[in-house]
């Protein structure tokens, strides 16, 4: 098996090991490291194949390439396995890593394994703790009570992003709200910079940048004080539409707003409001921000004064106002905000148009929906009448500030990052609670706080670390009295927020990061991973990079220069209305459900829904079985050829067969000549003097070099690059002498052929490296292709010149035509068929076939 041979060779020669090489440009090629679930899936294969092509290509182009691999090894599945199978998470993880490493190695990926990082090891997670302490020192890590998403089934706190449609992302249990004291990272301190620097990220997909920006969610607006109508004090609201202030007919508070109790005191509505508040607080945040949320609210019985018109407006409490955003209170303008409109209609609150549309057709009494546009002009707005909404925004903001009614502010949707998890398999938070001294940091020189091995894992209750007394008991570093250790562990997103920095020197033991190595390799030139990480992982990694920069450990502002988000791997699934998803084996050739047949009915199965490969859809293809059957090269070629990297890749058996056939064709072509060309030194200078057939070969070769290079450079169009390579192989097949070796070939021909075949092999190398290395060796080369330079095309050769082609009809010479040498085959055939002399021979006859022998002839069969 040549694949094993070359994998061994690469390993033995440590060919992918890389060090800083000042003489060469650096290139850091990074794929998102996997969670060690135990088996790789096609999504991994695709991700890593893409990265591998880039890494190999860049190496041949002369860069020193850092291409590392590691394990995002902390996380919940290990703990669940412990609960279900009684295996220790550490052991489970270790076994899975070993299994996956083996599978990954079978793909022949060019990783520098000496840099392997495992986040569950002390030598890694101790630095999570170190960063945590540094962040505490700088006020970037803090503790607060907060309403958290609680999954009653996983017994854990979930990040907002882990709540999908109000359910736990893992187990789909309905999520509840619960108050807990939690650790937070103050990512909001970097909100402005995180947004600002999006501008630098020109190598990122627009879609991802938009998601990042929306997540950060910057809004400019004003805070306005609405004095309470009866009694002291005022309510602060936040609005981005101060131009509509004259149309605010009520005020709405979030149920959690601290002023609610005071506002309902002694009011007839008190009980109703309290009940409402209790009910809404149970609801999940995601549901409460959903577009289609049923808007509900209650009147508090109190009023505020609209400060611009000195008018009494009722104060309501409603489910669609969130405490976490702005001031937790809004002015409602039903004429110009659809949500407020629906609410006002439902509860019979007055509606007042204050922005007239350009046609002047809006009337408060006949309005059937909110006019939310920011065009037109102001009406019923006193001194601001006739201003455009945009002018009015500026003028009214100024006026509010002058009058001392409020001030301009900027708000962000971004919330601080809650990192506390009541979980075992994660980084212990290095904190000690002392009755006397309060919250005390573990001193730096006592790190790591080791994750104890012996911990009861039941899946119930709070943090499992509570169950290990030796861990729990601590001595206060300040007063040296008995104290208690923090039992929460960190969100595993912390682990993946800086692993790319660790790779630059994974074994440095007295610091998290070797600044010198990091400044050599950072930033990552190309990052490749799934779109599912478009928000969180990427945002957290950007945040960590900025924090670490501010700790003076690195110099870069941004970690990832270019980002490629690869599409999903999808496959058709089989769905029976009776038995739901079926394995292909459970469907007959005619598309009938075998399970139904057994029970005597026989339901026709719905085929052709292409869906992401997943166990539940029963449409998974196991990469390992595939490699065993076809070899890694075929699997790689198929995944790279079937779709451009960012698009979904549709699985097809024919596609795999096709990839396999192509590689066989390459093999036969090169093998035919390899022996005879071994000793040939390519020294081709005078292109002009070559006979036309050899010229044509060289032109095809050089054109392919250009095409493949351009396709790789331009957003990694590997599919079209491989297509060009296939075309070259076809051309060479047509040009070769059938069943002939190099015997009797002129030296010049040998050189041309050697150049052609070597080029095919080098161009193939990034995509199918094993077969390429083998053929390279057979062509007489002693070192790995990795030590060779990527070929460059010769403009002189490609330059379009005219060549004369002989045209045959049924094998007899009938005409000659002049064509541009770089014309594609189809165009040449058309030109041949259009030739008047040829037409006189083909008139009235059916053209059966047109064969083009590059640079020489076209034969038309009629
Ligand atoms: C009056 C108004 C009139 C508003 C109008 C909009 C349109 P963004 O752009 O997302 O920042 N708002 C403010 N705080 C809120 C909270 N805690 N919960 C729910 N809604 C809140 O949106 C800002 C707008 O969202 C604010 O401007 C406010 O409604 C609402 F024709 O004020 B607006
Ligand atoms: Zn103490």
């Amino acid at each position: 098996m040549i694949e094993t041979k070359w994998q061994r060779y690469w390993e033995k020669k440590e060919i992918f090991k890389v060090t800083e090489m000042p003489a060469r440009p650096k290139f850091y090629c990074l794929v998102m490291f996997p969670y060690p679930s135990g088996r790789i899936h096609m999504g991994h294969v695709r991700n890593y194949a893409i990265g591998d092509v880039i890494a190999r290509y860049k190496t041949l182009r002369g860069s020193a390439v850092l291409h590392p691999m590691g394990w995002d090894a902390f996380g919940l599945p290990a703990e669940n396995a412990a609960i279900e199978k009684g295996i220790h998470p550490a052991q489970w993880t270790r076994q899975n890593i070993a299994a996956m490493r083996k599978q990954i190695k079978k793909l022949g990926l060019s990783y520098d394994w000496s840099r392997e990082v495992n986040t569950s090891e002390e030598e890694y997670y101790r630095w999570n703790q170190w960063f945590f302490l540094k962040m505490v020192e700088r006020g970037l890590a803090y503790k607060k009570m907060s309403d958290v998403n609680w999954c009653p089934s996983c017994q854990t706190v979930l990040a907002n992003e882990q709540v999908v449609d109000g359910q736990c992302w893992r187990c789909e249990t309905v999520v509840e709200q619960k108050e807990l004291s939690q650790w937070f990272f103050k990512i909001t301190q970097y909100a402005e910079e995180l947004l600002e620097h999006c501008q630098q990220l020109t190598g990122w997909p627009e879609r991802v940048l938009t998601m990042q920006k929306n997540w950060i969610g910057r809004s400019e607006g004003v805070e306005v004080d609405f004095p309470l109508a009866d009694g002291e004090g005022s309510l602060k609201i936040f609005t981005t539409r101060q131009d509509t202030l004259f149309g605010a007919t009520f005020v709405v508070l979030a149920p959690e707003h601290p002023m609610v109790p005071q506002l309902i005191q002694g009011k007839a509505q008190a009980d109703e409001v309290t009940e409402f508040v209790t009910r809404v607080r149970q609801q999940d945040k995601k549901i409460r921000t959903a577009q289609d949320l049923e808007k509900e609210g209650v009147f508090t019985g109190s009023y505020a004064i609209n400060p611009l018109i000195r008018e009494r407006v009722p104060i309501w409490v409603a489910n669609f106002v969130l405490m976490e955003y702005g001031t937790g209170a809004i002015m409602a303008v039903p004429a110009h905000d659809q949500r407020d409109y629906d609410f006002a209609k439902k509860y019979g609150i007055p509606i007042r148009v204050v922005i007239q549309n350009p046609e002047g057709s809006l009337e408060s009494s006949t309005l059937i929906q909110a006019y939310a546009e920011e065009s037109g002009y102001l009406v019923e707005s006193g001194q601001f009448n006739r201003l455009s909404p945009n002018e009015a925004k500026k003028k009214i903001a100024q006026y509010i500030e002058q009058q001392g009614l409020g001030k301009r502010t900027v708000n962000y949707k971004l919330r601080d990052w809650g990192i506390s998890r009541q979980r075992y398999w994660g980084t212990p938070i290095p904190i000690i609670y002392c009755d006397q001294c309060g919250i005390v940091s573990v001193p730096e020189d006592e790190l790591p706080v080791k994750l104890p091995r012996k911990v009861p894992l039941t899946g119930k209750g709070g943090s499992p670390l509570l169950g290990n007394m030796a861990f729990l008991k601590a001595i206060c570093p300040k007063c040296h009295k008995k104290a208690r250790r923090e039992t929460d562990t960190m969100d595993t997103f912390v682990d993946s927020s800086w692993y790319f920095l660790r790779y630059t020197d994974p074994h440095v033991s007295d610091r998290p990061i070797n600044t010198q190595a990091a400044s050599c390799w950072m930033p990552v030139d190309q990052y490749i991973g799934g779109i599912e990480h478009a928000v969180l992982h990427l945002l957290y990694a950007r945040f960590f990079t900025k924090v670490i920069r501010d700790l003076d450990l690195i110099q870069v502002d941004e970690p990832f220069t270019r980002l490629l988000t690869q599409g999903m791997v999808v496959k058709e699934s089989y769905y029976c209305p009776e038995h739901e998803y079926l394995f292909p084996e459970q469907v007959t050739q005619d598309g009938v459900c075998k399970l139904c047949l057994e029970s005597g009915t026989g339901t026709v199965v719905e085929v052709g829904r292409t869906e992401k490969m997943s166990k539940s859809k029963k449409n998974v293809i196991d990469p390992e079985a595939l490699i065993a059957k076809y070899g890694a090269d075929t699997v790689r070629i198929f995944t790279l050829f079937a779709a451009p990297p960012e698009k979904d890749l549709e699985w097809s058996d024919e596609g795999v067969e096709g990839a396999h056939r192509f590689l066989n064709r390459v093999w036969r072509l090169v093998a035919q000549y390899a022996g005879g060309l071994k000793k040939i030194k390519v020294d081709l200078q005078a292109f002009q003097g070559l006979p036309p057939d050899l010229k044509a070969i060289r032109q095809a070769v050089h054109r392919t070099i250009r095409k493949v290079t351009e396709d790789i450079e331009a957003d990694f169009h590997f599919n079209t690059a491989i297509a060009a390579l296939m075309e070259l192989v076809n051309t060479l097949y047509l040009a070769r002498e059938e069943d002939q070796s190099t015997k009797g070939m002129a030296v010049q021909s040998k050189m041309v052929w050697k150049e052609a075949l070597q080029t095919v092999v080098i161009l193939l190398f990034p995509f199918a490296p094993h077969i390429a290395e083998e053929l390279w060796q057979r062509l007489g080369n002693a070192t790995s292709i990795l030590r060779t330079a990527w070929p460059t095309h010769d403009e002189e050769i490609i330059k379009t010149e005219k060549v004369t082609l002989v045209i045959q009809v049924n094998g007899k010479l009938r005409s000659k035509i002049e064509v541009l040498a770089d014309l594609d085959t189809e165009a040449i055939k058309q030109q041949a068929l259009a030739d008047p002399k040829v037409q006189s021979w083909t008139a009235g006859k059916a053209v059966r076939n047109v064969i083009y022998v590059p640079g020489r002839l076209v034969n038309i069969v009629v």
Side-chain angles (χ1 to χ4, degrees):
M1 185 66 178
I2 63 158
E3 294 194 345
T4 332
K5 166 182 163 186
W6 287 101
Q7 283 162 21
R8 287 217 188 101
Y9 174 90
W10 295 329
E11 192 153 349
K12 210 177 98 223
K13 299 259 165 171
E14 298 189 326
I15 209 154
F16 304 125
K17 202 165 170 168
V18 66
T19 50
E20 290 116 75
M21 290 186 250
R24 289 180 176 217
K26 68 94 184 176
F27 193 90
Y28 189 170
C29 179
L30 181 69
V31 293
M32 289 183 182
F33 68 164
Y35 177 77
S37 58
R39 299 199 70 79
I40 58 166
H41 53 64
M42 284 306 296
H44 292 127
V45 172
R46 188 172 194 201
N47 190 181
Y48 307 154
I50 293 167
D52 200 50
V53 174
I54 299 170
R56 286 175 189 264
Y57 169 76
K58 286 290 175 186
T59 306
L60 265 59
R61 289 298 300 260
S63 293
V65 176
L66 175 57
H67 189 212
M69 176 46 77
W71 312 99
D72 191 8
F74 273 140
L76 202 54
E79 222 166 308
N80 291 341
I83 296 163
E84 282 161 27
K85 304 185 192 116
I87 177 170
H88 194 275
Q91 195 194 344
W92 186 84
T93 306
R94 217 178 307 113
Q95 284 173 0
N96 284 351
I97 288 176
M100 280 175 86
R101 193 194 291 112
K102 214 167 131 195
Q103 290 188 311
I104 288 176
K105 284 194 172 179
K106 281 192 184 149
L107 278 165
L109 302 163
S110 58
Y111 297 128
D112 178 352
W113 283 101
S114 72
R115 292 172 186 264
E116 188 174 349
V117 160
N118 175 338
T119 60
S120 69
E121 276 166 12
E122 267 166 54
E123 68 164 23
Y124 187 84
Y125 73 68
R126 66 176 297 160
W127 300 113
N128 287 344
Q129 297 174 339
W130 188 87
F131 285 129
F132 179 92
L133 295 178
K134 293 288 167 207
M135 282 158 86
V136 170
E137 273 171 32
R138 284 164 175 71
L140 287 170
Y142 66 96
K143 214 177 179 198
K144 70 171 180 196
M145 285 303 278
S146 98
D147 238 2
V148 293
N149 304 303
W150 177 259
C151 172
S153 153
C154 296
Q155 288 283 313
T156 193
V157 175
L158 300 174
N160 284 340
E161 321 68 77
Q162 295 172 325
V163 181
V164 182
D165 298 330
Q167 297 170 341
C168 172
W169 68 327
R170 292 198 191 94
C171 71
E172 299 185 1
T173 304
V174 173
V175 170
E176 295 168 1
Q177 299 299 302
K178 187 170 173 171
E179 271 234 312
L180 277 180
S181 180
Q182 305 273 303
W183 284 100
F184 283 83
F185 283 157
K186 209 174 193 174
I187 189 171
T188 52
Q189 186 157 319
Y190 287 84
E192 191 66 60
E193 203 192 333
L194 286 166
L195 186 68
E196 188 76 11
H197 284 173
C198 281
Q199 282 178 27
Q200 296 178 15
L201 302 176
T202 50
W204 283 37
E206 208 44 59
R207 179 159 75 121
V208 176
L209 287 176
T210 306
M211 286 161 89
Q212 294 257 319
K213 287 180 200 159
N214 289 344
W215 192 264
I216 297 165
R218 183 181 196 275
S219 290
E220 282 180 21
V222 294
E223 282 176 10
V224 188
D225 293 316
F226 277 55
L228 297 181
D230 316 294
E232 295 289 289
S234 62
L235 257 178
K236 203 183 275 305
I237 64 100
F238 171 68
T239 180
T240 50
R241 291 295 307 273
Q242 59 274 17
D243 53 318
T244 65
L245 236 163
F246 289 78
T249 54
F250 59 110
V251 171
V252 191
L253 305 187
E256 299 86 349
H257 198 286
M259 281 176 77
V260 172
Q262 152 193 357
L263 294 171
I264 59 173
Q265 199 168 24
K267 299 284 191 282
Q269 290 85 351
D271 286 350
E272 195 195 345
V273 175
T274 312
E275 208 174 287
F276 176 77
V277 167
T278 319
R279 183 160 60 80
V280 175
R281 285 187 73 155
Q282 279 306 314
Q283 272 176 19
D284 165 58
K285 295 278 150 52
K286 272 276 164 67
I287 294 179
R288 277 180 59 189
T289 47
Q291 278 289 330
D292 55 358
L293 170 83
E294 170 70 26
K295 281 120 205 135
E296 283 184 277
V298 283
F299 176 44
T300 57
S302 290
Y303 292 83
I305 307 281
N306 180 332
L308 285 197
I309 33 180
R310 311 297 312 164
E311 182 184 78
R312 278 167 75 93
V313 289
I315 304 172
W316 287 67
V317 173
N319 60 348
F320 66 84
V321 178
L322 301 173
M323 194 57 222
E324 292 77 28
Y325 189 63
T327 59
I330 68 163
M331 65 171 196
V333 186
H336 303 293
D337 181 277
Q338 192 58 38
R339 218 172 35 180
D340 299 350
Y341 178 90
D342 296 341
F343 196 85
K345 278 282 171 194
K346 184 169 175 180
Y347 295 106
I349 305 169
I351 297 172
R352 188 189 311 135
V353 169
V354 291
I355 310 283
Q356 186 53 263
N357 66 12
E359 299 84 53
S361 63
L362 300 177
E363 263 178 62
S364 302
S365 55
T366 56
L367 204 65
I368 48 163
Q369 61 175 38
Y371 175 71
E373 244 91 332
E374 295 189 26
S375 60
Y377 52 94
L378 269 70
V379 292
E380 296 205 42
S381 298
Q383 63 192 103
F384 304 103
N385 278 344
R386 305 216 62 84
L387 288 179
S388 74
N390 267 327
E391 287 167 307
K393 272 190 192 174
K394 283 182 219 132
K395 292 264 163 62
I396 293 179
Q398 269 168 14
Y399 181 78
I400 288 169
E401 286 187 340
Q402 278 161 11
Q403 301 292 311
L405 304 172
K407 63 172 198 321
R408 271 176 269 224
T409 52
V410 174
N411 261 305
Y412 295 91
K413 296 253 154 49
L414 185 67
R415 299 274 75 91
D416 279 340
W417 172 13
I419 59 146
S420 290
R421 296 291 180 273
Q422 291 67 47
R423 284 286 153 194
Y424 167 64
W425 196 232
T427 306
I429 293 175
I431 286 291
I432 287 168
Y433 297 102
C434 168
D435 285 343
Q436 278 176 26
C437 313
I439 302 177
V440 184
S441 288
V442 172
E444 220 177 274
D445 57 12
E446 286 177 25
L447 295 184
V449 175
K450 289 187 192 173
L451 191 62
R453 230 191 115 78
K454 277 200 172 160
V455 165
L457 292 168
T458 58
K460 305 264 146 49
S463 173
L465 288 173
L466 285 165
N468 183 310
M469 286 315 282
F471 176 83
L472 200 60
K473 280 191 207 155
I475 299 295
C476 171
K478 277 197 189 149
C479 70
H480 305 289
K481 296 222 176 75
K482 282 184 186 166
R484 188 179 69 81
R485 214 175 268 290
E486 168 70 85
T487 53
D488 284 356
T489 53
M490 294 183 202
D491 181 2
T492 54
F493 271 116
V494 174
D495 309 338
S496 51
S497 290
W498 67 282
Y499 75 109
F500 46 90
L501 294 167
R502 187 72 186 168
Y503 277 146
T504 64
D505 184 352
H507 306 298
V508 58
S509 58
D510 57 343
R511 294 157 289 166
I513 294 156
N514 170 348
T515 300
Q516 201 200 330
S519 67
C520 163
W521 292 112
M522 286 300 289
V524 171
D525 295 275
Q526 182 65 56
Y527 198 19
I528 307 145
I531 187 77
E532 67 273 20
H533 295 296
V535 178
L536 292 176
H537 160 58
L538 291 171
L539 195 66
Y540 294 153
R542 295 181 61 212
F543 164 60
F544 252 73
T545 300
K546 292 174 193 306
V547 172
I548 294 171
R549 174 204 61 195
D550 292 345
L551 292 172
D552 283 333
L553 283 167
I554 55 172
Q555 284 103 31
V556 294
D557 289 327
E558 285 290 334
F560 314 123
T561 305
R562 289 185 67 171
L563 172 70
L564 192 160
T565 46
Q566 98 251 11
M568 292 187 299
V569 183
V570 299
K571 184 179 179 296
E572 72 181 6
S573 57
Y574 300 91
Y575 188 83
C576 163
E578 189 66 25
H579 298 97
E580 306 198 320
Y581 288 99
L582 301 174
F583 289 113
E585 311 83 76
Q586 296 173 315
V587 183
T588 69
Q589 292 238 306
D590 312 319
V592 179
C593 172
K594 287 186 187 169
L595 300 179
C596 288
L597 276 182
E598 275 165 26
S599 62
T601 46
T603 309
V604 175
V605 170
E606 213 183 290
V607 198
R609 294 190 187 186
T610 43
E611 288 171 285
K612 184 177 176 173
M613 282 187 185
S614 77
K615 272 198 196 132
S616 63
K617 301 285 158 60
K618 301 190 177 171
N619 63 347
V620 180
I621 295 287
D622 175 29
E624 199 172 9
L626 209 61
I627 295 169
K629 185 164 175 201
Y630 293 101
D633 283 339
T634 296
V635 178
R636 294 170 58 124
I637 289 278
F638 166 71
T639 35
L640 296 163
F641 178 61
E646 68 283 356
K647 293 270 160 46
D648 282 353
L649 166 71
E650 199 177 327
W651 176 266
S652 95
D653 292 333
E654 301 82 67
V656 182
E657 292 286 349
H660 198 59
R661 267 200 310 277
F662 165 60
L663 291 176
N664 277 329
R665 270 168 79 75
V666 176
W667 179 269
R668 284 200 308 272
L669 178 71
V670 181
Q672 178 186 349
Y673 289 128
L677 297 177
K678 236 178 171 166
K679 300 233 158 60
I680 298 298
K681 286 221 162 36
V682 181
D683 181 21
L684 287 158
Q685 267 125 25
F687 174 71
Q688 293 311 333
L690 287 178
D693 55 338
L694 293 183
K695 266 189 182 172
I697 291 176
R698 292 204 75 196
Q699 277 178 328
V701 166
H702 282 258
R703 242 177 258 130
T704 309
I705 294 172
R706 180 175 62 184
K707 172 83 175 136
V708 171
T709 310
E710 279 173 3
D711 284 351
I712 294 179
E713 291 285 342
D715 279 330
F716 312 118
H717 290 145
F718 302 141
N719 55 328
T720 51
I722 294 172
L725 208 47
M726 289 175 169
E727 203 181 305
L728 175 62
V729 170
N730 284 344
T731 305
L732 294 175
Y733 257 89
L734 291 169
R736 76 181 177 154
E737 303 289 334
E738 195 66 49
D739 293 329
Q740 220 179 298
S741 66
T742 48
K743 275 213 193 89
M745 245 190 207
V747 179
Q748 209 175 29
S749 308
K750 285 188 184 173
M751 285 188 188
V752 169
W753 273 99
K754 184 146 185 182
E755 180 195 43
L757 299 183
Q758 299 235 67
T759 305
V760 167
V761 168
I762 300 175
L763 297 182
L764 184 66
F765 176 68
F767 308 103
H770 308 89
I771 182 175
E773 288 275 43
E774 180 67 24
L775 292 171
W776 182 247
Q777 193 180 52
R778 291 187 184 208
L779 279 163
N781 299 287
T783 51
S784 164
I785 299 180
L786 208 73
R787 301 284 176 253
T788 304
W790 187 255
T792 49
H793 70 269
D794 184 341
E795 267 317 321
E796 199 56 37
I797 295 176
I798 294 185
K799 218 168 54 190
T800 52
E801 55 169 310
K802 295 215 164 175
V803 289
T804 307
L805 297 176
V806 165
I807 311 202
Q808 300 175 336
V809 178
N810 287 348
K812 297 210 178 67
L813 193 153
R814 297 300 183 195
S815 182
K816 282 183 182 175
I817 56 167
E818 284 227 308
V819 295
L820 286 173
D822 69 342
L823 217 52
D824 64 51
T825 310
E826 211 31 57
I828 287 173
K829 287 179 183 174
Q830 288 310 321
Q831 215 166 311
L833 287 167
D835 184 76
K837 278 196 211 145
V838 169
Q839 291 209 326
S840 70
W841 290 99
T842 56
K845 293 177 188 140
V847 176
R848 282 267 170 87
N849 200 2
V850 183
I851 302 151
Y852 171 51
V853 182
R856 283 197 290 181
L857 62 83
V858 179
N859 185 16
I860 299 164
V861 185
V862 296

